[in-house]
Amino acid sequence: MAKFFELIKPNHNIEFSGRMNLFLGLSMFLVTLSIAMLPINHFWRGHTLNYGIDFRGGTEIQVAFSGEQDPGRIRAAMQNNGFKDTEVVKIRDAAFPNTFLLRFGAVSQVSEKQVPEVEAALRASIGADSLRKFDFSEGGDKLYLRFNKPVEPAQIAEVLKSKGIKNNAVQRYGRPEDNAYEVILVGLDVEVRSALEKGLGAGAVHAIPSVESVGAKASSELLADGVKSLLFAIICIMVYIAVRFDFRYGPGTIIALLHDAILVMGAFALTYREFSLVTIAAILTVIGYSMNDTIVVFDRIRENASRLRDKKFDRVVNISINETLSRTILTSATVFFVTLAMNIWGTGVIRDFAFAMNVGVIVGTYSSIFVAAPILIWLNERFFKNVGTKSKASA
Amino acid sequence: MERSWVYRVVLYSLLTLVALVFLAPSAATWLGKDDKLPTWMKKHVQNKIQLGLDLQGGLHLVYEVQVDKAVSDKADRLASDLEEKLRKEKKVKQVRAERSGKDEIDLQFTPPTDAARLDRTFLKEYQKYLYEDGRDAAKGTVKLKIDSDYVDELRDYAVRQGVETIRNRVDKLAVAEPTIIRKGTDIVVELPGLKPDDFERVKNLIGRTAQLEFKMQDDGSEYMKKLSGVAVARKSEFPGLEIGHDGWQEKDTGTPHSDVYLRDKDKGELERFLASLSKDDAVPSDHEIGFEQVPAKDDEGTTTPDKVWRTYYLHKRAELTGEYITDAEVNWDPQTGRPEVSVTFDHEGADLFEKASGSNIGRKMAIILDEKINSAPVIESRIGGGRARITMGGFSDPFQLQQEAKDLVAVLRTGALPAPLKKTFETQVGPTLGRDAVEKAKFSMMIGSLAVVLFMLLYYRVSGFIADIAMVMNIVYQLAILAALGATLTLPGIAGVVLTVGMAVDANIIIYERIREELRAGKSARGAVDAGFGRAFWTVFDAHVTNLVAGIVLYSYGTGPIRGFAVTLMIGIVCNLFTSVWLSRSMFDYIVGRKQNATLSI
């Protein structure tokens, strides 16, 4: 017989099934910890998870400064020019040396609070009764105005400017007799740049590599959709497994997958890494991938169950896990190393994705052996014992 | 055995050749050697892997169409229409119609007995839009509600208009590969490769409320004859410029109309020509030149698939704007069997339109959305009653005509009910950010792949080498399919490719471990390979299916970069099933198939 290069020798017999309660207990502890991290984070760090801009709503701007900058001074410069509560984080692996990430709640140049002031200024300048409608789309970049009489667009622009609101264009729309106007506001990045240059000196900003802004409604929808799609994927996979194997195998997969998803989220809660759309994508990938190991183990259990009819079901499971242990570990290892490389040398999005995959591969492998299999045994003992003996008798 | 092996080699070589052909244009672009491609390839294999905007920089915007606003606007309009009609036709002295909520209209009659005048026959005209939801005869109030099917139609049209408007505007920008996708009531706009300096300008352009105008053509003018003379004289400067002649007859009197116009495939050249005109030749201040994109005709007058821009010489003053339109829809003319578009104006609009049509019979009226002429029908008679029909002309097939009619309706409704767009999501990426990220992603991909390749070689030796070849082929096929689809590669998409590298060998590991087991059980090399591949196949298959399920869900959930990731992942999974199961199987068959006592290095 040929010799193989083996990490795990065949004929080993590690006891898994007998220690079921121990591992289930550990899993339960980790799941509880993951969930408990949410309220803990809420009080300790301010948010349940370090939600990215896509879930939190607001604006995230990367600013590359021309020289060394102090986060405190940046925050002050923003504060003094109308951007309250700006989070300033230095980015270490950016393309430019002095790059900071600025994050704040505003998504447009005009804030809700400013709206009444602007309205009052318009009334004062153009005539108290002449302004019929003043519409500001929240999160929008436009103002809609309607007057009783024709007004020169330049006059509107002038009034807005006196209130510190710069605009790109004031244009008429609608019927001429409507006297309706549309004001297109200046983009936030332009505003941030001028705020920073005012506070830190002209030329302080070298470049703005990226801007991302998400309205409040979009962000809550995205998060809800994300959770929905996770559950949907889990259910689809469970149904597939229940059909391909038999329905005893379904509940184990669904719990193992939930377990994986919760633990990955827990890892993000604990490390307070940014939790974004990409994280949801990574969790979905983890869910798909973590099934691979479960299928390998389940497949062997099914094969052995018909072969080793004289053995008790939990023994069959234990033998199957042992027999497939080397491939379970090897397959996970290859994906783990690839994603580890991305975690170490990748940047931004890639790194967060890889981190989620790293955690996911580990908990996914763990859960196929220590969560999915014990639940299968338990279900079998609890509900199918009689079915088993009957088939044995007839065989 | 030997024969089937030969067939398989031929098949796989062919597949690989096809894959390489599809991949060649993308590879040439990445290496900057586009000019070295053979001409047949440039002609027939045009699809390339596009770089997503996170890689090459650009602008990603998501607008929410405020569909409820479209519904409540319509309710407002219906309310004022009802009021006016009750006064005029039913001689109701005092009635107030007001919208309540989103889709209800409350009418209050004084005296209350007048409410009886709002009867079934009156409402019949509105049955498509409204139904009676309650009435209090003593108080003289009637509650009407907008039909829910009609509400759905309104919402749908509102989004469609939004897409149409944005597409019109983006087309003007000349961005290389813009995508505009509708997602529910959201419109996703992606403009990869857009320069940061243009972000502000482009956002302004897209976010603006659309303007719909109707302007009259001044046909047979001396000015256009003069202008065509200038164009002929300066042909050497503007080689693409051509002169076109147009002729039609008035329907009732048969009076002939004729016109001269300019046409050019390149709109930019037309604009440059007009801008270069001397003061004496310049367009008179009360006129302007409009542009329409029309199918080009060949010498015999039949239409060709090419498009050209043609000019219209228009009176500058707009006869009407879109705000006077209350509705537009597609109908079928029972006599000709052709689709037609019927437009309904409100009361003021009806008066204006009657005057405008009456004094311009036989002329063409240009329907202009955002300064682009969408259609220019001939006015056949004086049109009263606030309803106009636009007959769809041309020789196109009925399906295309219907499509054109629908587009025109979307344009007309844009003026009627501009549903506001609200920006809900914005990402701007400068080009440097992308470049840096790609460099780092490439590096990590290389390290990761190398680790996997080495591991497989060490652990499984020759069999590991087979798995490595299968993995490389997997990447080739994956990228080739991406190229053939013209798919977009994003940063997470690269992660998807790297991830596929890790997953690609997984199937091989599962199969190899099984083969080892069979060998340990004392099977011959050939028997072990057969049993290993046979037994492990369904395990591998199931594992791939669950991965695919996750990929599909991800695709339907995500936008932009996430979608790119899902696409790469799904393609990778499908290719992987092929390479790790069938392709590597063939290589094994070659090794164990020739000799009786073959040994396996695994």
Side-chain angles (χ1 to χ4, degrees):
Chain A
M1 200 176 93
K3 286 222 165 171
F4 308 127
F5 177 30
E6 285 154 341
L7 282 177
I8 297 157
K9 299 284 169 217
N11 307 323
H12 60 276
N13 190 8
I14 307 168
E15 183 56 45
F16 293 107
S17 306
R19 297 179 194 146
M20 182 168 120
N21 288 339
L22 176 74
F23 293 119
L24 277 182
L26 177 67
S27 281
M28 256 187 283
F29 169 72
L30 289 176
V31 167
T32 318
L33 182 71
S34 297
I35 294 172
M37 272 318 288
L38 300 181
I40 292 174
N41 269 346
H42 180 74
F43 291 111
W44 176 28
R45 286 152 158 168
H47 296 275
T48 48
L49 284 165
N50 184 8
Y51 288 121
I53 216 68
D54 21 19
F55 295 144
R56 193 186 289 186
T59 302
E60 209 171 74
I61 297 191
Q62 275 194 29
V63 183
F65 292 95
S66 345
E68 294 272 326
Q69 280 298 345
D70 170 53
R73 283 190 62 208
I74 298 174
R75 209 170 294 126
M78 295 287 284
Q79 182 84 27
N80 296 338
N81 291 291
F83 293 95
K84 293 204 177 73
D85 300 323
T86 308
E87 273 177 44
V88 180
V89 187
K90 170 125 195 178
I91 307 178
R92 305 210 175 278
D93 50 8
F96 299 104
N98 295 298
T99 307
F100 286 84
L101 188 73
L102 313 186
R103 199 191 268 168
F104 46 86
V107 285
S108 89
Q109 202 210 128
V110 179
S111 68
E112 287 290 273
K113 269 192 211 149
Q114 261 175 296
V115 169
E117 281 176 42
V118 177
E119 196 176 340
L122 277 170
R123 283 187 195 283
S125 156
I126 293 163
D129 303 324
S130 60
L131 184 66
R132 276 178 59 190
K133 204 175 101 185
F134 183 92
D135 242 8
F136 169 63
S137 64
E138 194 267 323
D141 38 11
K142 281 195 279 189
L143 292 172
Y144 296 97
L145 309 171
R146 208 174 148 188
F147 298 95
N148 274 339
K149 58 178 188 197
V151 180
E152 273 305 305
Q155 196 185 348
I156 299 173
E158 206 49 51
V159 176
L160 292 176
K161 216 167 258 172
S162 71
K163 283 275 133 195
I165 296 172
K166 281 171 244 153
N167 57 73
N168 283 319
V170 180
Q171 73 163 23
R172 263 170 193 279
Y173 78 102
R175 301 179 196 194
E177 68 268 24
D178 278 351
N179 300 313
Y181 300 84
E182 174 177 78
V183 182
I184 296 167
L185 304 170
V186 165
L188 264 185
D189 47 327
V190 179
E191 279 293 286
V192 167
R193 187 189 274 264
S194 77
L196 288 171
E197 305 225 310
K198 221 192 237 169
L200 303 169
V205 177
H206 173 61
I208 296 189
S210 88
V211 183
E212 207 179 329
S213 79
V214 184
K217 187 163 163 271
S219 58
S220 59
E221 259 174 26
L222 278 174
L223 188 58
D225 284 352
V227 173
K228 257 186 251 163
S229 59
L230 278 177
L231 294 179
F232 184 66
I234 291 177
I235 290 168
C236 286
I237 291 172
M238 187 207 78
V239 170
Y240 180 76
I241 295 300
V243 170
R244 282 285 296 145
F245 290 78
D246 81 42
F247 58 94
R248 261 178 293 177
Y249 293 81
T253 54
I254 202 171
I255 292 171
L257 291 181
L258 277 174
H259 169 268
D260 299 346
I262 292 171
L263 287 196
V264 174
M265 180 215 70
F268 275 80
L270 195 68
T271 55
Y272 212 57
R273 270 172 184 261
E274 186 171 297
F275 191 91
S276 64
L277 273 174
V278 174
T279 319
I280 296 266
I283 295 181
L284 267 167
T285 316
V286 164
I287 283 176
Y289 183 73
S290 102
M291 271 320 290
N292 288 12
D293 295 332
T294 315
I295 286 170
V296 168
V297 176
F298 277 12
D299 223 22
R300 184 53 65 94
I301 294 175
R302 188 170 53 170
E303 193 184 327
N304 283 343
S306 55
R307 206 159 52 89
L308 310 166
R309 276 162 191 270
D310 52 326
K311 289 211 162 77
K312 275 186 73 182
F313 192 67
D314 71 316
R315 287 302 94 204
V316 173
V317 171
N318 203 54
I319 291 167
S320 307
I321 293 176
N322 272 297
E323 282 177 356
T324 53
L325 192 61
S326 64
R327 73 202 67 171
T328 311
I329 291 174
L330 289 178
T331 51
S332 302
T334 55
V335 173
F336 185 81
F337 284 127
V338 167
T339 45
L340 188 68
M342 287 199 268
N343 192 351
I344 296 173
W345 290 290
T347 50
V349 187
I350 293 279
R351 176 172 275 181
D352 286 337
F353 173 83
F355 173 77
M357 281 301 292
N358 282 161
V359 177
V361 168
I362 295 172
V363 298
T365 311
Y366 169 88
S367 73
S368 13
I369 298 173
F370 298 109
V371 178
I375 288 171
L376 177 64
I377 297 174
W378 181 78
L379 272 177
N380 195 61
E381 300 277 311
R382 184 92 173 71
F383 298 106
F384 298 93
K385 222 170 184 178
N386 297 333
V387 186
T389 26
K390 248 182 227 162
S391 66
K392 208 183 272 174
S394 66
Chain B
M1 187 72 215
E2 279 295 307
R3 275 184 82 92
S4 94
W5 186 79
V6 172
Y7 286 136
R8 278 189 279 172
V9 169
V10 172
L11 175 70
Y12 295 146
S13 317
L14 267 178
L15 274 178
T16 311
L17 197 69
V18 170
L20 289 176
V21 167
F22 275 119
L23 211 48
S26 312
T29 307
W30 291 338
L31 300 171
K33 285 180 182 159
D34 269 325
D35 46 323
K36 297 234 168 106
L37 281 178
T39 31
W40 63 268
M41 202 180 260
K42 270 188 198 157
K43 208 168 173 191
H44 297 288
V45 193
Q46 281 160 344
N47 278 352
K48 279 186 216 172
I49 297 180
Q50 308 293 339
L51 294 186
L53 66 90
D54 53 348
L55 293 183
Q56 55 168 314
L59 191 58
H60 170 119
L61 300 162
V62 181
Y63 288 96
E64 184 199 337
V65 183
Q66 294 179 298
V67 283
D68 288 340
K69 183 92 177 10
V71 176
S72 58
D73 273 1
K74 182 75 200 183
D76 281 338
R77 272 166 179 264
L78 280 170
S80 62
D81 213 45
L82 279 166
E83 235 178 59
E84 188 145 352
K85 216 164 192 149
L86 281 166
R87 271 195 213 114
K88 269 196 184 157
E89 288 175 16
K90 290 282 173 177
K91 312 286 176 232
V92 175
K93 280 191 200 76
Q94 224 187 333
V95 58
R96 275 182 71 89
E98 256 173 16
R99 169 172 63 87
S100 76
K102 249 178 354 220
D103 55 354
E104 288 174 345
I105 297 169
D106 289 334
L107 291 112
Q108 169 73 56
F109 292 86
T110 345
T113 46
D114 270 1
R117 299 195 188 182
L118 181 87
D119 52 10
R120 270 220 195 121
T121 37
F122 179 83
L123 274 179
K124 200 156 191 190
E125 203 178 315
Y126 290 92
Q127 66 180 359
K128 193 187 161 218
Y129 316 116
L130 296 163
Y131 62 90
E132 195 178 311
D133 197 36
R135 161 191 300 258
D136 188 333
K139 283 188 191 151
T141 58
V142 181
K143 189 183 258 314
L144 300 172
K145 206 167 163 140
I146 299 188
D147 183 77
S148 61
D149 284 344
Y150 188 62
V151 168
D152 289 344
E153 193 191 312
L154 278 175
R155 287 159 163 262
D156 183 59
Y157 258 109
V159 183
R160 210 186 274 213
Q161 281 164 27
V163 173
E164 189 73 14
T165 322
I166 291 182
R167 184 157 298 147
N168 262 343
R169 292 173 186 183
V170 168
D171 281 350
K172 279 191 214 160
L173 296 174
V175 177
E177 295 287 334
T179 30
I180 298 145
I181 325 169
R182 174 180 175 171
K183 227 186 151 199
T185 57
D186 287 347
I187 302 173
V188 182
V189 186
E190 284 191 11
L191 306 167
L194 194 70
K195 302 266 174 335
D197 299 342
D198 292 335
F199 288 168
E200 194 71 16
R201 184 177 63 88
V202 167
K203 279 192 288 176
N204 285 341
L205 196 64
I206 293 178
R208 237 168 241 204
T209 301
Q211 299 273 359
L212 179 69
E213 293 170 313
F214 296 79
K215 289 183 179 176
M216 289 300 167
Q217 186 193 18
D218 190 0
D219 57 58
S221 66
E222 286 306 313
Y223 174 73
M224 282 312 286
K225 280 177 201 150
K226 183 167 126 193
L227 194 64
S228 62
V230 178
V232 171
R234 297 175 65 181
K235 181 82 183 164
S236 58
E237 269 176 84
F238 302 95
L241 214 54
E242 285 173 34
I243 313 294
H245 295 275
D246 209 2
W248 64 94
Q249 283 185 344
E250 265 173 50
K251 200 183 176 191
D252 297 335
T253 60
T255 317
H257 282 254
S258 69
D259 195 29
V260 186
Y261 62 89
L262 304 178
R263 65 166 180 244
D264 198 327
K265 268 190 184 162
D266 175 15
K267 193 183 174 194
E269 192 176 45
L270 266 178
E271 282 168 342
R272 280 197 302 281
F273 170 70
L274 292 172
S276 72
L277 292 172
S278 67
K279 215 172 181 186
D280 296 339
D281 296 336
V283 183
S285 60
D286 57 342
H287 281 69
E288 64 180 23
I289 303 274
F291 302 99
E292 186 187 20
Q293 201 174 21
V294 291
K297 288 185 179 156
D298 59 18
D299 298 338
E300 278 131 44
T302 42
T303 50
T304 62
D306 288 339
K307 297 256 182 179
V308 292
W309 289 93
R310 64 154 291 180
T311 62
Y312 282 91
Y313 185 54
L314 303 171
H315 289 284
K316 199 167 197 171
R317 197 178 66 86
E319 302 289 336
L320 271 167
T321 60
E323 281 71 23
Y324 295 97
I325 295 179
T326 54
D327 207 357
E329 59 186 4
V330 181
N331 286 327
W332 289 89
D333 183 345
Q335 282 173 348
T336 59
R338 280 165 178 269
E340 57 179 28
V341 172
S342 66
V343 193
T344 319
F345 296 97
D346 64 9
H347 287 274
E348 283 168 74
D351 293 344
L352 285 171
F353 192 66
E354 191 170 353
K355 265 182 233 150
S357 58
S359 51
N360 288 291
I361 294 172
R363 290 228 168 86
K364 283 187 175 180
M365 181 185 67
I367 302 172
I368 307 164
L369 179 70
D370 273 351
E371 291 157 14
K372 180 187 157 193
I373 297 179
N374 214 272
S375 158
V378 177
I379 294 175
E380 288 176 347
S381 60
R382 182 186 184 92
I383 302 163
R387 263 172 202 275
R389 284 178 317 166
I390 300 170
T391 315
M392 304 305 290
F395 299 94
S396 349
D397 62 292
F399 176 73
Q400 202 184 331
L401 273 181
Q402 196 190 351
Q403 227 29 58
E404 278 172 25
K406 276 193 177 158
D407 289 347
L408 184 58
V409 166
V411 165
L412 290 168
R413 288 194 174 200
T414 303
L417 300 164
L421 297 173
K422 188 171 127 183
K423 197 174 72 199
T424 56
F425 199 104
E426 173 182 350
T427 316
Q428 305 178 4
V429 184
T432 38
L433 189 71
R435 215 178 302 136
D436 179 58
V438 176
E439 284 312 312
K440 291 197 166 140
K442 261 192 206 159
F443 181 71
S444 67
M445 181 170 168
M446 242 121 71
I447 301 266
S449 315
L450 217 63
V452 171
V453 166
L454 280 177
F455 168 77
M456 290 303 281
L457 271 179
L458 267 174
Y459 203 83
Y460 294 112
R461 319 229 177 119
V462 176
S463 304
F465 183 64
I466 292 177
D468 286 341
I469 293 178
M471 183 198 87
V472 172
M473 292 319 294
N474 183 18
I475 296 181
V476 171
Y477 292 143
Q478 185 183 20
L479 293 178
I481 293 178
L482 284 174
L485 293 175
T488 307
L489 193 67
T490 58
L491 197 52
I494 295 181
V497 177
V498 182
L499 199 60
T500 318
V501 171
M503 291 182 178
V505 293
D506 279 10
N508 286 96
I509 293 176
I510 292 171
I511 295 166
Y512 292 175
E513 287 296 311
R514 185 84 208 195
I515 293 177
R516 281 182 173 190
E517 266 182 82
E518 302 292 339
L519 287 173
R520 281 189 205 111
K523 281 202 178 150
S524 70
R526 196 158 157 180
V529 167
D530 280 344
F533 274 94
R535 293 241 174 107
F537 175 75
W538 286 110
T539 317
V540 171
F541 182 82
D542 287 340
H544 279 71
V545 170
T546 55
N547 268 329
L548 203 57
V549 168
I552 292 168
V553 173
L554 192 54
Y555 181 80
S556 51
Y557 164 63
T559 51
I562 305 280
R563 256 189 184 202
F565 170 71
V567 170
T568 4
L569 191 68
M570 287 190 286
I571 293 173
I573 289 164
V574 175
C575 291
N576 184 232
L577 194 62
F578 173 74
T579 54
S580 63
V581 177
W582 287 289
L583 193 68
S584 49
R585 174 74 197 261
S586 303
M587 291 188 261
F588 271 100
D589 284 350
Y590 175 74
I591 294 174
V592 298
R594 284 180 306 176
K595 292 177 279 178
Q596 277 303 328
N597 297 324
T599 51
L600 209 52
S601 162
I602 190 165

